[in-house]
């Protein structure tokens, strides 16, 4: 038995069962194209009426987008009534396929699962062949939301009485992921708020620094942080209630008194559990190393399952769930970063310190985490929990405790009372951190912008800041620094477009078009050097030379046709289109700098005009 | 046990058991399908073969002690000679499963029945659509309903109403391709001069009462307005519609949705259209907290066209996926015995094909 059904047989089966039109989601663009090819040899004969309808719709769309007249698949689609729809195609072709589906002219469309959100046309049936998709170079299981998004295309209102989602297996399919996704609740969504340089500049342009915190408080990020705060506050209330019996006794702060007394007594054993030997930043982090917290370690990331002190040394330790699901006991100092991300962790009192389900879930979460996570800024208190002053120790005789009437009560209650008190402090700190974390991050960005001279010491925009705030795209710091370094002095439009293309392009699909002009090679080298020097403050772009060269050629050689250009590279047409569209977007931001950088703006304008021809002119 | 025997035994186990066995042995085992998992386990067994074998035996034993949830299937499938048949589903769902067994599984014939085109009917808006439009007269509105329910109708009616009151409308979508589709669609509805589109550097009919743009463009407009450079006439803006608002959770672009919502002018009504998400009430509560007008939530989870799920075997055999014709919400284990049998067969055969 073949590992998956042949596309021609699949469509034949669907036709026979009256399950067409169908959208068939496949793993990759290549799979879609291969499926199409497998039809070329097949002997499908469409009813005449259907063929005519397809021809009619295609003629209509061609009127609007003349470029599709030459599309190599035109004829195949009319002959077999099946098409492919994926990001490798030009938007105009995708519009044609969508229109064909909307008019019910096709039997099936092969589409990639990755772009399900862009598939905004319905069908009677949706066929699913996989349970995971590639995200950031890794395969991850489809979520319930994603599966329902796919299945949502099945059943056209007004045209179908029922819709069908058909699963057909292919290697590596996990049926449970799909059945759970179909029957389950969509996942809640979480804020992905980040503070960008343009955001900081634009906010500080319109508002004084004092108002920023209240603006950040309006974010969904803060709303969700507040929800977590509310949970902590409820816990804090119950801890305070637990603390009630431990109120003032003979001395008002008996817990501290007893603690100091105990320590003084045991001064021969200086490493009591309450003497913090660790460095201040480790100590400051400890409050955040709570079960479920995502942290960065020297190599990779992990999730804290437990915090404790080692038996002998009383060194702070954590149980860490590493990527891949292994559990490690390590000193807390191994943690290099505390991320602003926690997951629910159902704790238990013995190894592995949480329920097996939690281990599974956390392992899964860990694998799913995006490559970059917000770091929790942690304030280090240098004097916190300093070792006891030796003068106190000297005066052990002065303690009233040994003869105090509440001595027994203090001795009995101390372990619990001090634990609850610590918990209370930990909760208060966590709540503070949740309330201030956005502002801390904003402040960090202000510091960088101040260092580079976009803001003055009062966090007001400098002359450079005034124009830099108009650059509101990815890699804005690199772009504004390039402008300030006069890398674009009296730059030619082709060169400018080429550099912007290499900054804008963030796809790692291989392409081949290695030769750029000598000027471009030198300029890209400079850009790369600057990008690397900015790496601590902004992730560098890929700066691919091949996409730069391709763009340079397109702008420089006005006689080059789109098809001629496509022949020069292995890039798919859809990717070329997206590259140029994004480059034009980046260039148009440079165009807004007319007042301060007239020659650059002019060059950008010329580059845009030169890029907009052929298929790039068809869409608004 | 020889490696072949071990592999054979592993192949016979349900994936859930393999995952449990893989825990701590294989990184990212959740990513792997069954065959991949077995391969990885075999590789990992090089390190501590006896450990793996004894863990495997222990897990199989545990599994065997659980009640067998699907005796019918067990009988229907002759166990391969000399092998132990694994229990297919974890016992957690046992109670539901037995409940489902009271009814016989749906037949293919029943499952396929009712395919067809409904008779043409005059358009009658759904109750939730009417409700959303009524609420929008007083408050901001978040709509979270399944894909294909008819959110566009709400957008169009709300736009028409704002236009009648001489207010401008901005409609945002996450993808340029979707913007183009909507531009065509709305131009058909409202007339070509009435609809404009703004993209990175292009503007068509920028003075039209309805403007379509990506969310990034709107965010930039709002920053320009705040910075003193008024671009589009935001003072007459009466309504902002954000389609596919679930993009709020997009790792790269979600922040733009937040910025836009935070800075959206207070005199404009907000209409957020979203596919089904788990916590739409949070979005509505958030907007209520930060905007002068409260925000209402319109949500439902019922699909307007009922959905059925099927399983198509590579040998072209089609069967219902679940025991019920419709989707058994909340009961993923209610698999149709035939689908279950075929899929087990698939796993076994493709697994054996690979090991040969
Ligand atoms: N009340 C209704 N009665 C019948 N059909 C409707 C109704 N509302 C919307 N539709 C149809 O449902 C289909 C899907 O609508 P659409 O707005 O695209 O869904 P979505 O919620 O995914 O945006 C459209 O063809 C539309 O005409
Ligand atoms: Mg829609």
């Amino acid at each position: 038995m073949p590992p998956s059904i042949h596309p021609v047989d699949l469509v034949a089966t669907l036709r026979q069962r009256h399950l067409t039109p169908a959208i068939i989601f496949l793993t990759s663009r290549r799979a879609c194209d291969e499926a199409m090819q497998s039809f070329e040899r097949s002997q499908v004969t469409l009813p005449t009426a259907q063929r005519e309808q397809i021809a009619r719709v295609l003629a209509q769309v061609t009127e609007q987008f003349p470029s599709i007249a030459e599309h190599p698949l035109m004829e195949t689609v009319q002959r077999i009534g099946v098409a492919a729809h994926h990001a490798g195609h030009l938007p105009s072709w995708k519009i044609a396929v969508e229109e064909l589906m909307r008019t019910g002219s096709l039997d099936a469309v092969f589409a990639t699962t990755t772009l399900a959100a862009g598939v905004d046309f319905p069908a009677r049936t949706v066929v699913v062949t996989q349970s995971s998709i590639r995200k950031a170079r890794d395969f991850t299981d489809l979520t319930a939301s994603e599966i329902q998004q796919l299945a949502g295309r099945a059943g056209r209102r007004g045209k179908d009485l029922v819709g069908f989602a058909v699963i057909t297996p292919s290697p590596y399919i996990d049926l449970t992921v799909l059945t759970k996704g179909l029957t389950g609740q969509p996942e809640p969504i979480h804020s992905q708020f980040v503070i960008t340089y343009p955001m900081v500049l634009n906010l500080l342009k319109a508002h004084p620094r004092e108002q920023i915190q209240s603006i950040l408080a309006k974010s969904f990020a803060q709303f969700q942080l507040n929800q977590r705060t509310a949970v902590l506050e409820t816990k804090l209330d119950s801890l305070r209630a637990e603390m009630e019996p431990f109120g003032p006794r003979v001395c008002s702060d008996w817990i501290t008194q007893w603690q100091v007394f105990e320590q003084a007594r045991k001064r021969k054993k200086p490493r009591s559990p309450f003497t913090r030997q660790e460095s201040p930043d480790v100590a400051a982090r400890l409050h955040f190393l709570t079960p479920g917290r995502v942290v960065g370690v020297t190599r990779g990331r992990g999730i804290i399952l437990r915090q404790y002190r080692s038996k002998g040394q009383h060194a702070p330790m954590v149980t860490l769930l590493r990527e891949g699901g292994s559990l490690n006991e390590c000193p807390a100092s191994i943690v290099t970063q505390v991320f602003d991300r926690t997951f629910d962790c159902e704790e238990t009192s013995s190894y592995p310190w949480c329920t097996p389900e939690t281990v599974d879930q956390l392992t899964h979460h860990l694998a799913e985490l995006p490559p970059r996570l917000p770091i929790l800024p942690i304030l280090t208190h240098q004097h916190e929990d300093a070792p006891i002053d030796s003068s106190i120790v000297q005066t052990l005789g002065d303690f009233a405790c040994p003869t105090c009437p509440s001595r027994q009560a203090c001795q009995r209650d101390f372990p619990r009372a001090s634990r609850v008190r610590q918990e209370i402090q930990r909760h208060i700190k966590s709540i503070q951190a949740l309330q201030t974390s956005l502002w801390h991050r904003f402040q960090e960005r202000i510091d960088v912008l101040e260092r580079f001279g976009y803001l003055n010491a009062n966090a007001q925009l400098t002359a450079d800041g005034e124009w830099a705030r108009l650059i509101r795209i990815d890699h804005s710091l690199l772009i504004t620094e390039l402008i300030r370094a006069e890398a674009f002095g009296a730059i030619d439009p082709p060169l400018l477009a080429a550099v912007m293309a290499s900054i804008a392009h963030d796809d790692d699909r291989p392409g081949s078009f290695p030769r750029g002009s000598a000027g471009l090679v030198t300029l890209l080298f400079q850009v790369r050097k600057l990008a690397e020097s900015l790496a601590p403050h902004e992730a560098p772009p890929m700066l691919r030379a091949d996409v730069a060269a391709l763009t340079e050629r397109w702008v420089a050689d006005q006689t080059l046709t789109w098809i001629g250009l496509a022949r020069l590279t292995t890039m798919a047409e859809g990717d070329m289109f997206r590259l140029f569209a994004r480059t034009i977007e980046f260039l148009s931001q440079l165009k807004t700098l007319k007042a301060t950088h007239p020659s650059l703006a002019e060059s950008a304008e010329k580059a845009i005009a030169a890029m907009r021809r052929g298929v790039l002119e068809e869409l608004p | 046990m020889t490696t072949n025997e071990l592999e054979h035994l592993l192949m016979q186990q349900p994936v859930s058991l393999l995952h449990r066995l893989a825990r701590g042995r294989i990184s990212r085992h959740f990513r792997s399908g069954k065959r991949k998992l077995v391969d990885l386990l075999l590789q990992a067994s090089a390190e501590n073969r006896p450990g793996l074998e004894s863990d495997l035996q222990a897990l199989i034993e545990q599994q065997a002690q659980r009640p067998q949830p699907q005796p019918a299937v067990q009988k229907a499938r002759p166990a391969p000679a000399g092998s132990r048949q694994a229990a297919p589903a974890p016992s957690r769902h046992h109670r539901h499963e037995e409940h489902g067994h009271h009814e016989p599984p749906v037949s293919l014939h029943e499952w396929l029945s009712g395919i067809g085109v409904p008779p043409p009917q005059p358009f009658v808006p759904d109750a939730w659509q009417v409700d959303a439009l009524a609420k929008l007269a007083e408050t901001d509105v978040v709509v979270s309903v399944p894909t294909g329910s008819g959110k566009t109708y709400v957008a169009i009616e709300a736009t028409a109403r704002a236009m009648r009151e001489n207010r401008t409308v901005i409609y945002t979508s996450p993808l340029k391709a979707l913007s183009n589709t909507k531009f065509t669609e709305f131009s058909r509805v409202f007339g070509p001069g009435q609809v404009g589109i703004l993209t990175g550097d292009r503007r068509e009919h920028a003075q039209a009462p309805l403007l379509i743009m990506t969310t990034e463009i709107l965010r930039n407009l709002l920053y320009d307005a705040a910075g003193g450079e008024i671009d589009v006439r935001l003072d007459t803006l009466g309504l902002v519609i954000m389609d596919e608002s679930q993009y709020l959770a997009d790792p790269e672009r979600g922040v733009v949705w937040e910025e836009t919502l935070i800075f959206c002018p207070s005199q404009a009504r907000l209409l957020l259209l979203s596919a089904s998400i788990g916590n739409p009430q949070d979005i509505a509560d958030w907007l209520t907290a930060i905007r002068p007008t409260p925000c209402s939530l319109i949500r439902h989870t019922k699909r307007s066209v009922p959905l059925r799920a099927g399983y198509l075997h590579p040998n072209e055999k089609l069967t219902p996926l679940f025991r019920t014709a419709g989707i058994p919400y909340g009961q993923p284990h209610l698999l149709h015995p035939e689908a279950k049998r075929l899929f087990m067969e698939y796993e076994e055969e493709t697994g054996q094909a690979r090991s040969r």
Side-chain angles (χ1 to χ4, degrees), chain A residues 467-598:
Chain A
W467 60 261
R469 101 194 140 81
L470 299 174
I471 306 296
R472 297 159 182 153
I473 34 186
D474 294 346
H475 311 295
S476 59
L477 188 60
L478 172 63
I479 293 169
T480 56
E481 282 301 290
L482 281 169
I483 295 172
R484 291 171 85 205
E486 309 209 329
F488 297 149
I491 194 170
D492 281 348
L495 214 52
L496 180 62
V499 171
M500 291 320 261
S502 76
I503 295 175
H505 194 65
D506 54 6
D507 191 345
D508 62 352
R509 267 166 217 279
S512 64
F513 185 77
R515 279 167 300 112
S517 67
L520 176 58
V521 173
T522 322
L523 184 54
L524 272 183
F525 179 76
Q526 284 177 3
V527 175
R528 192 163 296 129
K529 252 178 39 191
L530 184 59
E532 274 160 20
S533 75
L534 294 175
H537 312 297
E538 184 180 83
M542 287 200 283
L543 296 174
R544 282 173 52 165
D546 60 334
V547 301
L550 194 72
T551 313
E552 185 184 36
R553 184 65 83 86
W554 178 248
V555 180
D557 181 358
Q558 290 290 302
T559 61
L560 189 61
T561 62
W562 180 259
I563 294 178
L565 183 74
R567 274 200 212 106
L568 292 174
T569 170
T570 52
M571 242 172 135
E573 280 185 88
D575 292 326
M576 281 164 46
F577 185 95
R578 240 185 332 278
L579 165 68
F580 288 173
R582 218 166 123 82
T583 304
I584 290 175
E585 215 170 284
F586 274 43
L587 286 167
S588 65
Q589 300 250 311
L590 297 184
K591 215 175 71 177
T592 61
L593 302 184
K594 218 170 239 155
T596 50
H597 302 77

Side-chain angles (χ1 to χ4, degrees), chain A residues 55-73:
Chain A
R56 215 168 32 243
V57 174
L58 283 177
Q60 264 171 24
V61 184
T62 314
E63 228 168 81
Q64 206 187 346
F65 307 108
S67 68
I68 65 164
E70 295 157 33
H71 201 283
L73 285 174

Side-chain angles (χ1 to χ4, degrees), chain A residues 158-177:
Chain A
K159 288 189 201 155
D160 287 314
L161 288 165
V162 275
F164 293 85
V166 173
I167 294 171
T168 184
S170 65
Y172 305 125
I173 197 168
D174 185 343
L175 197 59
T176 17
V177 170

